Structures are given as C-alpha cells and as structure tokens.
C-alpha cells in the first residue's frame, strides 16, 4: 500500500497579513507605503495586496489548503488572469500538462522555488509535479508580464511563477494528512516541525509524502514520493538565512496526445494498449517516465547597516530521468550517426526484428548564485547585483530490451543495461552533452520623486554560452553558441491615496535558443534534424499600464499590456538540399496586446468572491518559412492564445464549515500558424466542502475535506500539446504545395473525488 502524506501545515497559521507584505519599487520610508484597510480582510489570499509597478497576482496557503491536496502549482494558479492551464490528469501527477501566460508557453515562463530556478536548462520547461508539496507552500506569485530584474531566468518574456515555502514553526508540532479518492487515489503526507531548537534561533521542518493513483483513462498508474525540508535562522534586526531541500522521485504515465481525427474517432478511448502482444509498440508499460530530482536553495538576507542590505541565493540541482517510448529495431541496417553498423544481437528478435524500449534519458547538474546589494540614500534606493549559473546536460537516446510479457528490463534507460553494438558501443540515436554558462549583472535605481510618485530605472545584461559535444560519428563534433542580451527597463508608480495606485512600465526580455536547436540528428545515416547555431536571441519589449485598488471590502486590479517580439524561434520543416528535415528557424516578429483584470469582493467575514479575466489580441506579423516557401501566416492569430479567458471563484469559512469553488473558461485556441485547426472553448469547475472538527473531538486542529475535481466532467481537448505550421495542405506564397501536419492535443482530465482527513499534533 502506498504511504501517502498530504501536508496541511500551511492551513495552521499563516495569516493573510503575510501576503500583504508589498514590494513597492522604492520609497524613502517604509511607512509611506503602508496600506491600512478596515473592513473585511481577504480571508483566502485570492488577491493579496500588491504594490509593485507591474501586474502581479498571487494565491496564499489559505486558498491552497481548500484545493485538492494533489494539485500542482500550474493547477493552483489556473484562476489567475492570463493563466491558461492544460492538464490531462486530474491529480496533477503526470508531466502531460502545460501553462501559457498571455499566449506565451512554458519555455517563456521563469519558475522559481525559494529564489532558485526550476526550469530545465535544456528546453527551459518546468515540471510542476516535481515541485514542493502544496501543503508546504506559503504563497504562489504570478507576474504575468515580466520577471523581476534579479530573477535568475533566461526566458521570462511570458512572466514569472514564484513559489515561497512555509517557514518552520516556532513551536514543535506535527501534521498528518490522509487522502483517498477516485481511480484508487491514495496519498499520505506527514510533516514535523522542530520548533525553536534549544537556546538557538534555529528551527526546521521536514515533510514526507507518498502518492499513488491509477490513470483516469487507459491502463497504468502514477507514483510520487517527495521530501521537503527547511532550516531557518533569524537574528538581529531582520537578518535571516535558510536552507531548503526538495527531493522528488516519480514514475508517471505519459498520456497519449491525439490528433483532431484521433479525438473525433476515439474520444477518451485514445489510449495505450492495456495488454501486450508480440510486436506491440503501443503497450502502456513502454510509456512510463521515471524521474529523480534533488534541489537545494539557500537564500540569505543580511542587514549590513541602517541603509545597506545584502541578499544572496545559492542553489544546486541534480536530476536524472527517462522519457521512453515503444519502437522496433532490426538486427541489420543500423547506423550510429552516419556510420553504418554490422549485425546486432537483439534479445527477443523474430525474423530480424525486435520490439524494444526507446529511451530518451537526461542527466542534469546545475549550480548558481544570484546576489544583490541594496542601498537606501535620500530619495534613492539603488540595487546592484550579479548572477552566475553553470549547468551540464547529457542526453542520450538509446534502446533497452523488453521481456516476453512486454515489461522493460530497465525503465530508467541506464547505459550499462541498454543494447550495445557487437564491438561494445552503446547503440544510440542521439548522444550529446552540453555545458551552459550564464552570467548576468543588474543595476537599478528607485527614486521617490515625490511622496506619491516613484520612478525606477534599471538595466540587466545577460550572456549565455552553450558548449556541446556530439558523440555520434558524423560531420558535427562540437557545437557552440554565445549571445548577450541588453535588457533595460523603467517603471512609474503613482500613489493616488492610501488605497489606490496607478503604475506603468516598459520592460525587455529575451530567450536564448535552447541547446537542442544546435545539434544535427540522423536517421538511417541521413540528417533528420538540422542544427542551427546562427539563431539569434528571441527579444521582446513589453509595456503595461495598470490601476490597483485595495479596499475595505473590494480589491481590484486592471492592467493593459502590449508586447512586440522579434526573432521568434520556431521548430519547423526546412528544405535542405532537396530534403525536408526538422530545424529551428527565425520566425520573425509577433505583436500582442490586451487587458487583464481581477476583483476580490468580501461581503462578509469569511466570505470571498473572486473574478478574473483576460482579453488577448495576439497576431503573427510575418509569413513563416516552410518547405522552401513561405506560409501565408502574416496577420493570423498566434497559437495557444485564447482571445478570452474568465475565472470565477470563491471561498467560505465560518470557523466550522468551509468550502470553495473555481470555475474557469478558456476560449478557442488555434493549434497551427495558418489557423486551419483549433481547440474549441471549454469550461471546468472544481468544488470543495469541509468541516473543522476542532472542539468536537478535542482542541487539536482536525479538518475533513471533500474535493470534487472537474465536477461537470467535460469531454474536451484542454490544450495544444504539439503545434503545427499548417494542418491542411497549403499553397505557399511562391506557389509551392506545403504538406499539412496534424497538431496533437491534451485530452482534458475527467471527474475525480478526493477525501482528505488532516490532523495536527
């Protein structure tokens, strides 16, 4: 039986006041920015007070604690403006999910946990099922438009998702959460707080969780074992230092992504095969993805004087995993890069062909530090800092034999257990190792021009270096990419009164080409993918104009935004000496603009109603090269960019009964650059109801909660898993017939019910 640990410690006692700790750009004194409101304070942190001169949304532990305990960070922010979450799993365990902000994808969104980057150093993607357990998260902050100037990210044009862990508690205690749900969901979470240790200022917590659930559609199951820990020391006048550790080991299913034709023919029945037959490459056990990750983060804040502070975050990460698939190999006719191989002995081969597990393994190491000094002098607050990041990524596509019943002999894809050639070489389709070094510096000055008006101007410079080695025989041995991005920014904030403010900003962001765009790949000795080291950084300039009010019973925010991108990077098909192969190209420019808004209404104590929305106009500015011609895409809608999104949520807590609801509508999303295929709009609804049992049994905090996920059980496609230039055959600008390629989609998750009992000790 899976031991499952659902950490509800966050519900114990992190008041919303923690969330109302605004980060104003700069002021001559802290009192000048204090916002004092009487009335009904936000009980759930659906719209915590913000003062930054940019669009910022957030949710707190109080709101998180009413959601399903299995939800990952993407699912938790689904109600916030601009957040388009495509999830194929109701419990948030599978990696088959995505998040876009204002139409910008996961590789454009920076993700931080305790100040440390969580994005994959190869693809820049982040995988929310690997993050900290929800019960240990104090706050999730979503900056839709721009990352902070000191954020250690290289792809923040789409914004920044930042997770802050709960602090260890001053008093010793423990928490146990047990959950049971649909599809044999079983989860347990346990957390222990040491309290203040002896006569020191040290305090710590450690939590363990274990989760297991069957696939809600098709055969298979998901498992997740997770550990979070944090050690904190606070002393003097605001000094603090902490070390956070997060370990995750998961073995999750990859849900197959249908084309539109597959969906129309099979609906939710589009799955991997439940039973194995000889030669079956679609068997579900061939598509399980084991991953193991270990993260360390050590943020430190030191008060060096009345006007000078030092902030530094050192981080180290290790990761290894496999994204396998079923395929077949022949005993003859194989190649290693461009080198033809002799006959290979394949276990289980019949008539010279064997069904095998195709591995795509990645082994990553990453370490870095971001440090800044902040000096307050007169009306100025000057910030200066440095960022250094070093990472290695070794990716191998190899093959592992399977047993007669279809089970892989090794699901992890370890090289020593994989298939080798007759002379002992590892048989590999790809074998490449990349070292990435990122260096950055930043300088900003926040000037209180008047008691109400603050101007901030800053500059950030970032260099990215990729050095790689292609270990397969062929003309490409090493790869190299170096770039520098100059990122100026400026903002204004005008404090109308103690409760309302106007803000405006201009920011620049970039995305360096990911390492995989540099390598040439081969199939049967011929190029199947063309590396492109001549790519330029994708660069964007964005502007925001916003109004924010923090009222006694109503808080609201409205932001108008505009983006212009140049050197958009696009994976597509090119004509290379008459052969059509995959490559990444410069796709020109794109323009986006729209409105984000959110309102939190608190009509009575313990009651909160929340509405959010986004209107988005995202257009492709240029025709896209494809197949030696240009596709007619200028003026078309950008992909995965719904023109309309709306959210409606609410919470209730009277001290005995509590509950919440979250309704989200996502409009039509195009899946091709020619707009010849799309996903219809859809809506989802999550509900929860619970009871605080403290006082009925004893005075210890005890909660019983029921979560209903996807209550209406919509049969929908929830998002685009793989975009395409054009789904239908299209005539290019120069008269060439450009063959269509069907996009692939996420199937929206089905209904699930989870019951959780939470007990504090």
């Amino acid at each position: 039986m899976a031991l499952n640990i659902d950490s509800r410690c966050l519900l114990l006692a992190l008041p919303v006041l923690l969330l109302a700790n605004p980060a104003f750009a700069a002021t001559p004194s802290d009192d000048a920015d204090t916002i004092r409101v009487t009335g009904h304070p936000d009980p759930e942190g659906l719209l915590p007070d913000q003062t930054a001169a940019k669009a910022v949304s957030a949710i707190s532990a109080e709101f998180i604690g009413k959601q399903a305990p299995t939800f990952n960070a993407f699912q938790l922010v689904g109600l916030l403006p601009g957040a388009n979450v495509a999830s194929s799993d109701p419990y948030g365990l599978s990696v088959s999910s995505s998040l876009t902000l204002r139409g910008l994808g996961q590789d454009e969104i920076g993700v931080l946990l305790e100040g440390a980057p969580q994005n994959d150093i190869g693809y820049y993607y982040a995988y929310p099922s690997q993050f900290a357990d929800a019960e240990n998260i104090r706050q999730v902050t979503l900056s839709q438009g721009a990352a902070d100037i000191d954020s250690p990210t290289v792809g923040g044009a789409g914004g920044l998702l930042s997770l802050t862990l709960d602090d260890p508690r001053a008093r010793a205690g423990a928490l146990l959460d047990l959950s049971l749900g649909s599809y044999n969901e079983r989860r347990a979470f346990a957390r222990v707080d040491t309290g203040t240790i002896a006569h020191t200022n040290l305090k710590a917590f450690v939590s363990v969780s274990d989760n297991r659930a069957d696939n809600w559609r098709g055969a298979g199951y998901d498992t997740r074992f997770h550990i979070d820990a944090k050690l904190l020391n606070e002393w003097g006048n605001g000094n603090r230092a902490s070390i956070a550790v997060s370990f995750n080991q998961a073995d999750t299913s990859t849900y197959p992504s249908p084309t539109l034709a597959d969906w129309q023919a099979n609906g939710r029945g589009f799955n991997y095969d439940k039973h194995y037959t000889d030669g079956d490459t679609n068997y579900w056990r061939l598509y399980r993805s084991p991953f193991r990750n270990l993260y360390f983060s050590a943020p430190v804040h030191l008060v060096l004087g009345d006007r000078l502070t030092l902030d530094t975050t050192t981080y180290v990460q290790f990761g290894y995993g496999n994204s396998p698939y079923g395929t077949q190999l022949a005993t003859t006719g194989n190649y290693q890069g461009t080198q033809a191989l002799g006959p290979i002995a394949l276990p289980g081969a019949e008539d010279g062909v064997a069904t095998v597990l195709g591995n795509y393994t990645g082994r990553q190491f990453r370490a870095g530090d971001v440090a800044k000094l902040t000096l307050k002098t007169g009306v100025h607050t000057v910030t200066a800092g440095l960022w250094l990041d070093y990472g290695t990524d070794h990716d191998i596509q190899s093959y592992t034999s399977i047993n007669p019943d279809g089970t892989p002999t090794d699901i992890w894809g370890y090289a020593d257990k994989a298939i080798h050639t007759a002379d002992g070489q590892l048989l590999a389709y790809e074998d490449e190792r990349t070292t990435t070094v990122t260096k950055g510096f930043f300088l900003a000055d926040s000037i209180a021009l008047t008691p109400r008006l603050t101007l901030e101007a800053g500059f950030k410079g970032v260099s990215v270096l990729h050095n790689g080695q292609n270990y397969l025989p062929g003309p490409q041995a090493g790869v190299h990419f170096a770039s520098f991005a100059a990122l100026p920014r400026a903002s204004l904030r005008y404090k109308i009164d103690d409760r309302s403010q106007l803000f405006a900003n201009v920011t620049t962001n970039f995305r360096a080409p990911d390492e995989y765009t540099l390598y040439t790949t081969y199939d049967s000795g011929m190029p199947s993918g063309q590396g492109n080291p001549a790519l330029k950084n994708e660069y964007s300039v964005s502007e925001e104009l916003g109004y924010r009010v923090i009222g006694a019973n109503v808080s609201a925010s409205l932001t108008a935004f505009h983006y212009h991108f140049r050197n958009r990077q696009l994976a597509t098909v090119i004509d290379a000496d008459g052969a059509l192969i995959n490559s990444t190209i410069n796709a020109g420019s794109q323009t986006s603009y729209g409105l984000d808004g959110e309102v939190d209404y608190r009509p009575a104590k313990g009651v909160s109603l929340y509405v959010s929305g986004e209107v988005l106009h995202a257009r492709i500015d240029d025709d896209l090269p494809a197949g030696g011609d240009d596709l007619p895409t200028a003026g078309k809608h950008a992909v995965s960019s719904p023109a309309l999104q709306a959210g409606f949520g609410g919470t209730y807590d009277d001290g005995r009964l509590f509950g919440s609801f979250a309704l989200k509508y996502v409009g039509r999303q195009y899946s091709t650059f020619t707009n010849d295929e799309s996903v219809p709009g859809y809506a989802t609804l999550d509900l929860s109801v619970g009871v605080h049992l403290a006082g009925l049994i004893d005075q210890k905090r005890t909660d019983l909660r029921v979560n209903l996920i996807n209550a209406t059980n919509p049969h929908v496609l929830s998002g685009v898993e793989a975009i395409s230039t054009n789904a239908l055959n299209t005539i290019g600008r120069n008269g060439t017939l450009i063959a269509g390629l069907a996009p692939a989609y996420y199937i929206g998750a089905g209904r699930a019910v989870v019951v959780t009992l939470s007990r504090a000790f």
Side-chain angles (χ1 to χ4, degrees):
M1 176 176 179
L3 172 67
N4 203 306
I5 303 174
D6 164 24
S7 170
R8 198 112 338 231
C9 291
L10 300 175
L11 296 176
L12 283 173
L14 274 176
V16 176
L17 293 177
L18 284 176
L19 300 176
N21 198 6
F24 248 19
T27 56
S29 71
D30 293 338
D31 291 340
D33 278 334
T34 300
I35 298 174
R36 298 179 176 87
V37 177
T38 60
H40 299 299
D42 182 357
E44 305 299 343
L46 278 168
L47 205 164
D49 299 348
Q50 304 289 347
T51 55
K54 63 177 183 177
V56 182
S57 300
I59 56 174
S60 73
E62 286 75 15
F63 178 75
I64 294 170
K66 290 180 173 59
Q67 310 312 303
T70 64
F71 271 9
N72 62 46
F74 287 1
Q75 292 171 301
L76 289 172
V77 301
L79 266 184
L80 301 182
N84 175 18
V85 180
S87 179
S88 59
D89 166 25
Y91 294 127
L93 292 169
S94 174
V95 296
S96 300
S97 66
S98 73
L99 169 68
T100 63
L101 291 176
R102 296 177 178 173
L104 301 175
Q106 281 176 253
D107 57 347
E108 306 270 9
I109 302 169
V111 179
L112 304 179
L113 175 62
E114 288 289 282
Q118 303 297 294
N119 301 75
D120 181 285
I121 61 173
Y123 280 119
Y124 306 138
Y125 275 64
Y127 303 98
S129 59
Q130 299 174 0
F131 300 165
D133 280 320
E135 296 92 333
N136 292 328
I137 297 175
R138 185 177 75 202
Q139 186 179 37
V140 183
T141 302
L142 191 66
S143 300
Q144 291 93 338
D148 298 325
I149 196 169
D150 59 344
S151 297
T153 62
V154 295
L160 182 70
L161 179 69
S162 183
L163 292 83
T164 304
L165 287 182
D166 186 21
D167 280 344
R169 308 199 182 283
R171 297 185 62 181
L175 184 73
L176 177 65
D177 286 359
L178 301 173
S179 301
L180 295 173
S182 306
Y183 315 112
N184 291 317
E185 160 68 14
R186 303 190 298 273
R187 182 177 188 267
F189 170 93
R191 167 170 158 163
V192 176
D193 282 78
T194 64
T196 302
I197 301 172
H199 299 291
T200 70
N201 294 319
L202 292 171
K203 50 187 177 179
F205 79 78
V206 60
S207 71
V208 182
S209 71
D210 193 84
N211 198 358
R212 186 195 187 281
D214 292 341
N215 288 5
W216 74 272
R217 65 180 177 93
Y221 60 91
D222 297 324
T223 64
R224 178 181 185 266
F225 176 77
H226 191 89
I227 299 174
D228 290 324
K230 186 174 182 179
L231 175 67
L232 172 66
N233 188 19
E234 295 177 295
W235 70 97
N237 184 24
N239 295 292
R240 64 179 278 145
S242 63
I243 298 176
V245 182
S246 188
F247 171 79
N248 192 80
Q249 179 166 308
D251 186 6
T252 58
S253 300
T254 303
Y255 288 93
S257 300
T259 64
L260 188 59
D262 293 330
W263 170 249
Q264 292 169 345
N266 301 286
R268 291 178 171 179
F270 185 79
N271 298 307
Y272 294 119
D273 297 335
K274 183 176 182 180
H275 302 289
Y276 180 73
T277 56
D278 289 342
D280 185 4
T281 60
N282 200 47
Y283 181 46
W284 70 271
R285 290 187 183 275
L286 304 180
Y287 294 87
R288 298 188 54 73
S289 300
F291 278 87
R292 186 183 296 124
N293 306 86
L294 181 62
Y295 300 93
F296 295 89
S297 178
V300 176
H301 176 75
L302 298 177
V303 179
L304 303 180
D306 293 340
R307 297 179 299 170
L308 183 65
T309 60
L310 170 67
D311 292 275
T312 179
T313 300
T314 303
Y315 54 88
V316 179
Q317 303 168 4
F318 303 88
Y320 178 83
N322 189 15
S323 298
Y325 55 94
T327 188
Q328 289 188 325
L329 280 179
T331 56
T332 59
N334 294 296
Y335 283 80
Q336 192 89 317
T338 58
Q339 176 184 320
L341 300 175
I344 298 174
L346 297 176
E350 295 184 5
D351 298 326
V353 176
T355 303
V356 298
L357 183 75
N359 304 301
Y360 188 90
T361 63
R363 186 183 303 275
Q364 293 192 350
F365 167 78
R366 186 176 190 180
D369 181 84
V370 57
K372 67 176 181 180
L373 284 168
T374 302
L375 174 67
K376 291 186 177 183
T377 173
V379 297
H380 296 269
T381 300
V382 180
T383 300
L386 298 172
W387 172 37
L388 176 63
D389 186 283
Y390 173 87
T392 61
D393 184 18
H394 191 180
D395 297 296
I396 300 175
Q397 286 203 54
S398 62
Y399 306 95
T400 298
S401 61
I402 65 174
N403 296 312
D405 63 356
T407 58
T409 57
D410 171 38
I411 63 171
W412 288 92
Y414 291 129
D416 60 345
K417 299 179 181 179
I419 296 171
H420 288 67
T421 63
D423 60 358
Q425 298 181 65
L426 176 69
L427 179 63
Y429 178 76
E430 291 183 42
D431 188 354
E432 56 208 32
R433 185 182 186 274
T434 311
T435 298
T436 301
V437 179
T438 306
K439 301 176 183 178
F441 66 90
F442 50 91
L443 178 66
D445 187 10
S446 184
I447 310 168
L449 300 174
T450 72
R452 294 184 180 272
L453 182 64
T454 302
L455 167 68
E456 182 174 346
F459 179 85
K460 185 175 185 178
V462 181
S463 68
V464 177
L465 172 67
H466 292 313
N467 268 326
Q469 182 71 34
N470 189 344
Y471 293 108
L472 297 185
Q476 184 190 59
V479 299
H480 178 84
F481 172 86
S483 70
F484 178 81
L487 305 171
R489 60 172 59 199
S491 66
L492 276 172
R493 176 178 57 84
Y494 179 71
K495 187 177 178 181
I496 300 172
D497 53 38
D498 287 344
R499 296 185 176 183
S500 57
Q501 58 190 273
L502 292 169
F503 63 86
N505 64 64
V506 178
T507 58
T508 54
N509 286 283
F510 84 111
R511 179 189 183 279
D514 67 59
E515 62 186 57
Y516 303 107
T517 64
L518 307 177
Y519 289 96
T520 298
T521 57
Y522 300 92
D523 186 11
S524 300
M526 300 298 294
S528 59
Q530 180 66 53
N532 186 357
L535 284 171
K536 298 179 179 180
N537 286 334
E538 184 176 294
Y539 196 84
S540 68
V541 179
S542 63
E543 303 89 24
E544 290 183 330
L545 177 63
Y547 171 75
R548 181 183 291 129
V549 61
I550 303 168
N553 296 315
V554 178
S555 299
S557 177
L558 180 66
T559 305
F561 58 87
H562 175 272
Y563 294 85
H564 181 73
F565 296 87
R566 66 173 185 261
N567 301 324
R568 288 284 276 172
Q569 296 161 24
L570 173 66
T572 185
V573 176
I574 64 170
D575 189 338
D577 298 326
L580 299 181
I581 61 176
N582 297 311
S583 188
T584 300
I585 62 170
N586 187 327
S589 64
Q590 177 181 315
T591 302
S592 304
Y593 58 86
L595 283 173
D596 280 340
E598 53 185 336
V599 178
D600 184 39
Y601 174 48
R602 304 174 293 277
K605 182 179 180 181
V607 178
S608 176
L609 297 174
Y610 174 84
V611 178
S612 70
E614 178 177 270
V615 177
L616 175 65
H617 180 95
R619 292 292 185 273
I620 302 169
D621 295 335
D622 300 309
D623 290 336
L624 298 182
D629 203 336
D630 292 324
L631 277 169
T633 56
K636 299 292 186 180
H637 291 264
V639 297
S640 300
S641 302
L644 178 64
Q645 292 187 70
F648 181 35
T651 61
Y652 172 80
D653 195 332
D654 64 6
R656 178 63 66 195
L657 299 176
F658 64 90
S660 70
F661 70 92
L663 174 67
K664 183 64 180 281
Y665 171 77
V666 179
R668 176 180 298 275
Q669 302 175 65
Y670 287 99
S671 53
T672 68
F673 291 93
T674 54
N675 293 173
D676 55 3
E677 196 167 293
S678 63
V679 178
Y682 69 94
T684 59
L685 175 64
D686 296 332
L687 301 170
S688 75
V689 62
V691 57
H692 300 296
L693 298 175
L696 297 179
I697 302 174
D698 55 25
Q699 297 306 313
K700 297 289 186 179
R701 204 213 77 183
T702 306
D703 294 337
L704 179 65
R705 184 175 80 254
V706 179
N707 289 96
L708 181 57
I709 307 168
N710 295 325
T712 58
N713 196 27
H715 289 236
V716 297
L717 296 172
S718 61
V720 185
E721 192 272 336
I723 61 174
S724 167
T725 52
N726 52 302
L728 305 177
N729 292 342
T730 303
I731 302 297
R733 295 294 191 189
N734 299 320
T736 303
L737 178 65
I738 302 172
L741 178 65
Y745 302 94
Y746 296 109
I747 295 179
R751 182 192 295 122
V753 179
V754 185
V755 180
T756 301
L757 178 64
S758 179
R759 171 73 170 175
F761 299 92

